[in-house]
Amino acid sequence: MATQQATTQRGYAELVEITDKTFRVSSRVYREQEVFEREIAEIFEKTWVYVGHDSEIAQPGDYKTAQIGRYPIILTRDKDGAVYALLNVCRHRANAICRENYGNSQNFRCPYHAWTYRNSGELIGVPDGGRYPEGFSTRGLSLIRVAKVDSYRGLIFASLSADVPELDEHLSPVKEHVDLWADRSIGGEHKVLHPHRYAYLGNWKFQCENGVDGYHPGIVHESAFSTFGEFGIGNFAARDLVKRGSISRGFPGGHSTLEGGARDGRGVGRGLPHRAEEYQARLREVYGDDRAQEIVSNRHTFIFPNVFLFDELVRIIQPIALEYTEVYSHPFWLHGVPDDFNTRRLYEGTRQLSTTGMVNPSDLEMFAANQTGLHARMEWLVLDRGMQREEVAPNGERMGNYSDEVPQRSLYRHWAQVMARTEAGR
Amino acid sequence: MVSTARITRQEAEDFLYEEARLLDERDFFPWLDLFTEDAIYWIPIEEHSDPTRATSILWDDAQLRALRVHQLAHERNFAQSPPSRTVHSVTNVQVSPGDADNEAKVRCNLVVYEVRSGDHRQLGLGDLRALPAKCLYVLRYEERWRIAHKKVVLINRHMPLINLSFLI
């Protein structure tokens, strides 16, 4: 009967079982409503999550709506250029005040009773305010600000809890890889475009695991890769990547990377070779040969818990329900390159990883199949791959072969810590 | 040339019904031949955007159309295992003159119903989905009518969509 005990009684830390040679994750992490509720509360609503990119709210007055855990928010830029993350909730009777996804406005007017707020949050209008009792004040009734908002290289993160390390510290284990990604724009920042939006019938963590899973591509994406091969497009043979010294990394904090490591510029602009050459020459000029090569190498960087930096896209993971997840995948424009190069990148990203991509939908099919299998309540999932040869650096960074489950283990090491964090105090 | 480029509504309907039949019967290689070599097949997110600068749900040239059809024929295309069954339902057809002498514009409404069967109790299978859209075609007369441009404007184009690994 022990296995039938409720998760709370067993403790969240026990959902990940680690020995010298085994790393097992309980199927409960994907299939129990109680676990999902706690993930939303402890991970999404208490730690740093990615909410948007500077370029989405580039101009004064620009805004974007988003969701942190289950909290609807508005990300705004005021007339002085400052960025705010505000709860999209009227202080009167808790209506959502902004119903659009993107726009530009100095003010937000609640549609219910027209309480009106500045885009920095202050309440500036209450219709027929004289009906309120003496002493009623609009001060103290500003839109609630998300406790922490900060950005790094254009990536905006927010935390509903003030009790978090600075963003710098949160990102520090993986910062080198964020820099390599951001340095692809020379003399400016990336500009993200409207996202591809899709959904799948499965738990949110499948997408987190899969984007840095080097074991599956040659199998799940065989139909795409062999078709590309038939048409002579690119060097997509996933099994080759392993031979060429490609690697996976896991970092403290749950972050990870999957790196093609092929020093051939495969990460950027494959389909327009003359532009790719120009671009790489320019990178070498600015950064030197070695760093330029690193910058254009194929690289997937996962920042716990909800964002991937890909070669052509920024991918955001939004848990909606235990078995339903939305994904918003923003193509981005490199700064300082010819338009046709960016257009080609857009085309290739859409071909591969959009809602209709030749690669992406097969991953989503695996997630639905995975969630289906979990209904059988088989207790432990096996994430041992490559444990025996994982290299651990003094700072806790772990490195393995491309197809090893190093990133997934790093995800669950951190996951277990966060999920168990406040248990003792309860 | 001018006279051959006139298309009646009935001819346009026959053309669109034939395209729908090819898609629904998964007869994809003849479907490829409906297009001109330079044709773009576009499913925008922003209806009036420039697909070279804005995100699209689908933005296919001849090569990418061919890639898709080859992938659909591949035995290990997991997003299509089991495959989609579709019904393309075409209505509200209107024709108007094209911008070139040998072209015509055709507007229609389209609802694509889609389901993947197999073990329908499993997640991701057995859900009947409907994709309503308006379509704008540019047909060009090149020995016969061909699609020079196809634009499908889905009404739920801004929303998260599930498994668009079949042809709309």
Side-chain angles (χ1 to χ4, degrees):
Chain A
M1 281 306 285
T3 56
Q4 296 302 314
Q5 275 183 311
T7 295
T8 39
Q9 288 168 303
R10 292 165 51 116
Y12 289 97
E14 288 173 39
L15 297 177
V16 179
E17 198 180 83
I18 309 171
T19 70
D20 282 354
K21 286 181 182 159
T22 61
F23 195 107
R24 304 295 159 93
V25 172
S26 168
S27 62
R28 291 161 187 265
V29 311
Y30 308 97
R31 62 175 168 80
E32 280 195 354
Q33 188 61 31
E34 187 188 315
V35 172
F36 179 77
E37 299 294 338
R38 190 174 176 89
E39 289 174 333
I40 295 298
E42 296 298 322
I43 297 174
F44 282 85
E45 296 176 356
K46 275 192 196 152
T47 69
W48 287 106
V49 294
Y50 179 80
V51 290
H53 192 271
D54 259 334
S55 59
E56 288 176 274
I57 50 166
Q59 301 303 319
D62 282 355
Y63 68 82
K64 170 199 177 177
T65 50
Q67 196 172 305
I68 303 180
R70 288 195 169 120
Y71 287 56
I73 67 153
I74 321 174
L75 198 63
T76 68
R77 189 179 296 278
D78 76 1
K79 60 179 171 20
D80 301 318
V83 172
Y84 298 87
L86 307 165
L87 298 194
N88 185 5
V89 179
C90 184
R91 294 300 302 276
H92 177 213
R93 303 243 297 257
N95 247 62
I97 57 172
C98 178
R99 305 277 278 169
E100 292 296 331
N101 199 185
Y102 289 98
N104 183 288
S105 180
Q106 299 303 318
N107 305 314
F108 296 99
R109 181 179 183 268
C110 179
Y112 200 0
H113 303 94
W115 284 32
T116 301
Y117 304 85
R118 207 167 271 140
N119 60 0
S120 47
E122 296 82 10
L123 176 61
I124 54 174
V126 175
D128 204 8
R131 298 291 302 161
Y132 283 93
E134 198 178 328
F136 175 83
S137 170
T138 56
R139 285 190 313 170
L141 289 175
S142 299
L143 293 177
I144 293 168
R145 285 184 186 168
V146 175
K148 305 277 267 187
V149 188
D150 201 354
S151 71
Y152 182 70
R153 307 289 312 256
L155 305 166
I156 307 173
F157 295 81
S159 167
L160 286 167
S161 166
D163 187 21
V164 287
E166 292 304 313
L167 179 64
D168 212 49
E169 191 183 330
H170 171 67
L171 294 178
S172 66
V174 78
K175 191 174 251 181
E176 178 191 344
H177 298 275
V178 178
D179 285 336
L180 284 166
W181 177 80
D183 280 352
R184 288 180 171 189
S185 272
I186 301 166
E189 274 180 3
H190 302 333
K191 179 187 160 208
V192 309
L193 308 181
H194 196 92
H196 301 289
R197 292 194 180 103
Y198 52 85
Y200 65 85
L201 297 159
N203 190 266
W204 65 279
K205 296 186 293 301
F206 291 136
Q207 182 71 94
C208 304
E209 296 167 21
N210 181 261
V212 278
D213 178 313
Y215 194 16
H216 81 284
I219 300 162
V220 172
H221 305 306
E222 182 187 335
S223 68
F225 295 159
S226 82
T227 304
F228 293 142
E230 272 177 59
F231 283 72
I233 298 170
N235 33 15
F236 280 87
R239 289 172 203 281
D240 284 354
L241 288 174
V242 176
K243 287 181 204 148
R244 292 163 81 165
S246 309
I247 53 176
S248 60
R249 290 183 219 263
F251 302 92
H255 318 303
S256 54
T257 62
L258 183 67
E259 300 166 44
R263 293 174 157 257
D264 62 359
R266 95 166 60 207
V268 180
R270 288 170 274 243
L272 217 53
H274 67 290
R275 287 294 189 214
E277 276 167 37
E278 281 171 28
Y279 173 63
Q280 288 185 49
R282 180 87 182 102
L283 287 173
R284 285 193 294 273
E285 232 174 83
V286 175
Y287 299 109
D289 288 5
D290 286 351
R291 185 161 181 82
Q293 288 289 355
E294 280 293 327
I295 288 171
V296 292
S297 290
N298 166 250
R299 183 184 312 268
H300 300 178
T301 299
F302 175 64
I303 304 173
F304 185 88
N306 74 329
V307 65
F308 276 98
L309 310 178
F310 286 134
D311 293 335
E312 320 291 7
L313 301 154
V314 180
R315 179 191 278 172
I316 307 169
I317 299 154
Q318 179 73 55
I320 301 292
L322 178 65
E323 298 189 340
Y324 189 80
T325 305
E326 293 184 356
V327 181
Y328 320 127
S329 217
H330 296 259
F332 62 91
W333 231 233
L334 294 174
H335 188 269
V337 304
D339 280 356
D340 62 353
F341 191 50
N342 275 326
T343 295
R344 185 67 198 182
R345 292 177 52 255
L346 176 64
Y347 171 89
E348 290 177 7
T350 306
R351 181 179 70 194
Q352 256 91 290
L353 294 177
S354 70
T355 310
T356 60
M358 291 176 64
V359 172
N360 196 47
S362 288
D363 286 326
L364 309 185
E365 182 72 2
M366 293 307 106
F367 305 162
N370 209 334
Q371 194 75 45
T372 298
L374 288 160
H375 292 171
R377 299 178 170 230
M378 183 181 79
E379 182 67 14
W380 295 103
L381 311 191
V382 182
L383 289 176
D384 308 350
R385 190 175 166 82
M387 267 189 104
Q388 77 287 5
R389 56 182 175 234
E390 191 173 270
E391 294 170 37
V392 190
N395 64 4
E397 176 179 329
R398 290 160 190 268
M399 195 172 90
N401 180 291
Y402 192 77
S403 76
D404 288 346
E405 283 154 349
V406 175
Q408 293 72 27
R409 288 193 287 272
S410 120
L411 171 71
Y412 283 105
R413 274 193 196 90
H414 185 66
W415 182 94
Q417 272 179 27
V418 178
M419 291 291 280
R421 197 154 52 193
T422 52
E423 255 176 334
R426 284 186 183 174
Chain B
M1 203 60 192
V2 176
S3 59
T4 54
R6 294 192 110 102
I7 192 166
T8 65
R9 189 178 74 195
Q10 191 177 338
E11 286 166 339
E13 284 170 350
D14 287 346
F15 184 91
L16 296 173
Y17 295 166
E18 178 64 5
E19 185 197 10
R21 185 187 68 80
L22 291 173
L23 290 173
D24 292 340
E25 292 181 0
R26 298 179 69 82
D27 203 358
F28 298 129
F29 287 94
W31 176 78
L32 282 181
D33 288 336
L34 295 181
F35 291 84
T36 65
E37 187 52 36
D38 62 345
I40 295 289
Y41 172 23
W42 184 33
I43 306 180
I45 295 177
E46 294 302 335
E47 183 179 353
H48 301 294
S49 60
D50 170 0
T52 69
R53 307 185 65 87
T55 311
S56 301
I57 292 170
L58 178 140
W59 176 41
D60 284 7
D61 54 12
Q63 186 186 55
L64 191 35
R65 282 193 298 277
L67 283 164
R68 280 187 203 286
V69 165
H70 277 79
Q71 188 184 24
L72 282 166
H74 196 285
E75 60 179 347
R76 294 209 179 114
N77 180 358
F78 297 110
Q80 281 291 298
S81 308
S84 295
R85 290 179 196 158
T86 60
V87 166
H88 286 67
S89 198
V90 177
T91 61
N92 305 56
V93 177
Q94 294 178 312
V95 297
S96 57
D99 295 331
D101 284 348
N102 60 344
E103 290 181 357
K105 289 181 184 168
V106 180
R107 187 201 183 287
C108 68
N109 287 357
L110 171 70
V111 184
V112 182
Y113 301 94
E114 186 257 355
V115 71
R116 294 175 59 222
S117 187
D119 182 355
H120 64 274
R121 291 156 297 210
Q122 297 191 23
L123 292 167
L125 302 178
D127 298 325
L128 179 62
R129 301 200 172 89
L131 291 167
K134 74 172 175 189
C135 300
L136 301 158
Y137 286 81
V138 175
L139 301 185
R140 187 186 301 153
Y141 199 87
E142 287 180 356
E143 294 171 344
R144 59 187 171 99
W145 288 104
R146 290 177 191 272
I147 301 167
H149 195 261
K150 175 177 177 179
K151 178 177 176 183
V152 177
V153 185
L154 297 166
I155 62 170
N156 55 350
R157 61 193 176 275
H158 287 91
M159 314 218 329
L161 299 166
I162 295 178
N163 196 356
L164 293 189
S165 57
F166 55 95
L167 292 169
I168 293 169

